[in-house]
Amino acid sequence: MLDFLFKPRSVAVMGASNNTFSIGNRVVKNLLDYGFKGQIYPINPKESEILGLKAYPSVLDVPKPVDIVCIAVKSTLVPQMVEDCGKQGVKFVIIHTAGFREMGGEGAKLEDALLENARKYGVRVYGPNSQGIMNSDPDVSVYANFTFTPLGRGKASILAQSGGVAEMINLNLRKMGSGFRIYASHGNASDVNTNNILDYLGDDAETHTIMMHIESMKDTPGFIERCRRIAKDKSILAIRTGRTAAAAKAVSSHTGSLMQQDSLTDAIFRRAGVLRFQTVEEMVAAGYAFANQPVPSGPNVGIIANAGGPGIIAIDECVGNGLSLAKFSEETKAKLRAGLYAETYVENPIDVAATATADHFALALSCLDEDPGVDSILLTMVTPFFVDCEAIARRIAETAPKLKKPIIAVVMTNENWVGTVQTIKNAGIPVYDYPEMASRVLAAMVRYGEIRKQLAEAPAQVKGNQARAREILAQCPGGFISQAAAFDILAAYGIPVARTLPVSSGAGIPVQIPYPAVLKVDSADVVHKSDAGGVKMNIADETALKAALADMARRFPGAKFVVQEQCATGTEVIMGFKCAEGVGPVLMFGLGGIYVEALNDVSFRLAPLSSPEAARMVRAIRAFPLLSGTRGRTPADVPAIERLLVAISQMAVDLPEILEMDLNPVFVYADGAKVVDIRIKK
Ligand code: ADP
Ligand code: MG
């Protein structure tokens, strides 16, 4: 339980000093300046008073209870300081000092030493190499942190591994006019980690949105499980920087090599219900809106403008980002016509005209809020001299709390109307400078609404013969299993495969395979069969098969072979999964042939898939129009692909002994699909 960390009754500061240019001094000053409601105890053996507070020679002299001790002393002293904290019954140490595991070698040893001391006494460690925490809850008002952005109140909580990024988020949130709820920059996370803090923020009723910065992820399944729970009623926004070891690993199959770090992050966030941003700027802009406004229930936006051009830009950007322009009801239009200027255009966007009054704005807002065809409102306005902008802002602010739908605003103005803009912001309406950014923010909110709906989808259940598949797998040695076994495993899950049987020159030729047939080498050493001359197509009859077999047997001494029915050529797609270390099975889908290799046009998802998620996965590739039938091409059986995807998702879940599986290619026809090549690694 992190209550003592985020709602401390007292904070002691080791390394507190009267030297303004020291971290210890700044932490004490911040605690004082932002009105910490608990006790502050500077610790310094050489001082009797620091910033007007009584200083203590050691933590052992500080009156109990001591909930937090901020530590800003030399790294080599930290393990001993932690030991002292333990003796004094301290609940949490926030270690600001750097020079630990992030440095490797001696630093890592020091970190282990301090952790051991902490464990001995049950002290929880936050950091080391951490900037600290803040809580803007007026009952607490704690700034146990050495950074510089003032403590401002808001409904977004910030959770960032890097202090610099946490600061950047907070700083820019402040520039937009918002504060935060809880701020946690936890550095090395040697003990208190991202997932622990997420739990805490998830339970904090005043946190409406969580903005995260992630460098490296530990316990990914735990992260996903928590986020899925929290995302039901709070929004989680994140940026991810840096690379994982999982991605760097050289891999042998397509599924593996295509699974780049970035796509893996996308797949993890998607499964977790986390909305990913590529830039801090966009995340902050969106977080500001997420914290203050509800998530729209659909994509239809109603736009109100008092200047035409910016409204048009908003349309372009909204529609370009997947939103739709709401169609107003006749009732709405009649009300608008009656209340606005006679020449007003009452379609979407409503141009109330630059001379519009406060009444006009209020009417337009409430009409759109009432119209069932509108899911969100985008207000773009300029502040002309010839209208009472202050009165307009006040009416907007009065109307805002009554609105059921989310509203965001763009105000194009200058320093004359700072107060006017503030009036609008104070009503909880996020205000942006540009219509493009406001539209993108709205689009992000709509996307979150979709994410939330998707979280409720149940995984598709496919009944496969799991026992049979495991029995076959048990008989295979580790590494790539034989083609014959791989085809049997797929068949156990009812996956349509090209008929495939083992064949050898000694035994009789299997009669169940119709001609023309295909002969393939079946050997763990031959990963790319056709490249090695191990695929012979168009075998017309038994005589030709025997000849082909004799030829291949000579070229691949000791190898086994399979004979396969030759399938009509369909659109080639590939799919498969690979178990990513610490993450679990990651499913992949793409078009076969040059699309996969040259364009890297693939989609990734974590297992298990729901049926709608399988449908989205197929549609996520750029080349999807080639499957759905573009320019006279016969459409491929997309539902058959979706069924295959959920089947392999089920296999990924049911058969943990499979490390990698590659179906390459699968022929997709106008009606049905067939797998002609499988590679399974166990
Ligand atoms: P590899 O990928 O190991 O080279 P494949 O079994 O995928 O070997 O064969 C290579 C290509 O030959 C396939 O991509 C497909 O175009 C074609 N092919 C393989 N088997 C069949 C088959 N049974 N029917 C029709 N075409 C096939
Ligand atoms: Mg192949």
Side-chain angles (χ1 to χ4, degrees), residues 570-575 589-592 595-596 601-603 614-642 644-645 666-673:
T571 305
E572 290 193 15
V573 303
I574 75 170
M575 58 180 75
F589 169 75
L591 271 200
Y595 297 100
V596 162
D601 183 19
V602 284
S603 55
R616 289 189 289 271
M617 185 174 180
V618 177
R619 283 155 187 79
I621 60 167
R622 290 190 298 280
F624 178 70
L626 297 180
L627 289 172
S628 60
T630 185
R631 301 197 131 209
R633 281 174 72 110
T634 322
D637 188 345
V638 173
I641 303 175
E642 294 165 18
L644 273 174
L645 283 170
V666 177
F667 286 157
V668 189
Y669 306 107
D671 184 13

Side-chain angles (χ1 to χ4, degrees), residues 326-485:
K327 289 219 184 337
F328 300 150
S329 70
E330 287 310 317
E331 194 189 333
T332 300
K333 286 194 249 183
K335 275 198 268 175
L336 289 171
R337 234 178 257 121
L340 300 178
Y341 288 128
E343 66 276 16
T344 304
Y345 180 70
V346 296
E347 301 286 343
N348 200 0
I350 309 168
D351 186 347
V352 291
T355 47
T357 64
D359 282 347
H360 293 156
F361 278 97
L363 175 74
L365 285 173
S366 52
C367 280
L368 294 200
D369 196 49
E370 291 301 319
D371 192 318
V374 176
D375 300 313
S376 62
I377 304 169
L378 179 60
L379 172 69
T380 84
M381 57 183 285
V382 291
T383 51
F385 275 118
F386 46 80
V387 288
D388 186 348
C389 294
E390 217 9 79
I392 291 173
R394 274 200 307 275
R395 279 298 288 284
I396 291 173
E398 277 162 31
T399 313
K402 296 178 208 140
L403 300 176
K404 298 178 289 292
K405 291 170 188 167
I407 171 171
I408 68 173
V410 182
V411 184
M412 289 149 285
T413 188
N414 63 20
E415 59 278 13
N416 288 320
W417 286 276
V418 175
T420 308
V421 173
Q422 197 55 49
T423 302
I424 298 175
K425 286 183 176 176
N426 289 347
I429 301 178
V431 177
Y432 299 89
D433 293 333
Y434 292 100
E436 290 93 336
M437 185 57 104
S439 305
R440 286 205 294 277
V441 165
L442 204 50
M445 295 177 84
V446 170
R447 227 171 18 253
Y448 209 81
E450 284 160 16
I451 288 175
R452 213 167 255 168
K453 284 181 202 143
Q454 291 165 13
L455 286 175
E457 293 168 0
Q461 299 286 337
V462 177
K463 193 83 200 87
N465 191 341
Q466 185 185 3
R468 171 78 190 123
R470 298 192 88 159
E471 189 186 323
I472 300 168
L473 278 165
Q475 285 157 15
C476 300
F480 288 106
I481 72 168
S482 76
Q483 290 279 302

Side-chain angles (χ1 to χ4, degrees), residues 159-166 168-169 186-187 194 212-218 223 237-245 247 261-266 268-269 274-281 283:
L159 169 51
Q161 270 170 320
S162 146
V165 177
M168 184 172 18
I169 295 170
H186 54 307
T194 308
M212 299 187 73
H213 161 247
I214 299 172
E215 268 169 0
S216 61
M217 218 181 265
K218 287 181 202 159
F223 172 79
L237 322 183
I239 52 159
R240 168 81 189 265
T241 54
R243 311 205 131 244
T244 63
Q261 124 84 18
D262 232 36
S263 324
L264 185 58
T265 299
D266 279 342
I268 292 169
F269 283 5
V274 172
L275 185 59
R276 186 176 188 187
F277 290 84
Q278 295 300 332
T279 66
V280 178
E281 184 186 12
M283 181 170 78

Side-chain angles (χ1 to χ4, degrees), residues 28 60 104 212 222 445 472 556 649 668 676:
V28 176
L60 297 164
M212 299 187 73
M445 295 177 84
I472 300 168
F556 299 99
S649 159
V668 189
V676 304

Side-chain angles (χ1 to χ4, degrees), residues 1-22:
M1 189 51 183
L2 304 187
D3 252 347
F4 289 117
L5 177 64
F6 290 110
K7 293 181 178 164
R9 294 163 296 179
S10 60
V11 179
V13 183
M14 276 183 186
S17 120
N18 281 313
N19 170 11
T20 333
F21 299 111
S22 75

Side-chain angles (χ1 to χ4, degrees), residues 3 84 90 153 211 217 237 285 431 446 490 509 547 597 601:
D3 252 347
D84 289 353
V90 169
R153 225 150 269 155
M211 283 195 259
M217 218 181 265
L237 322 183
V431 177
V446 170
L490 256 67
I509 297 295
E597 298 292 351
D601 183 19

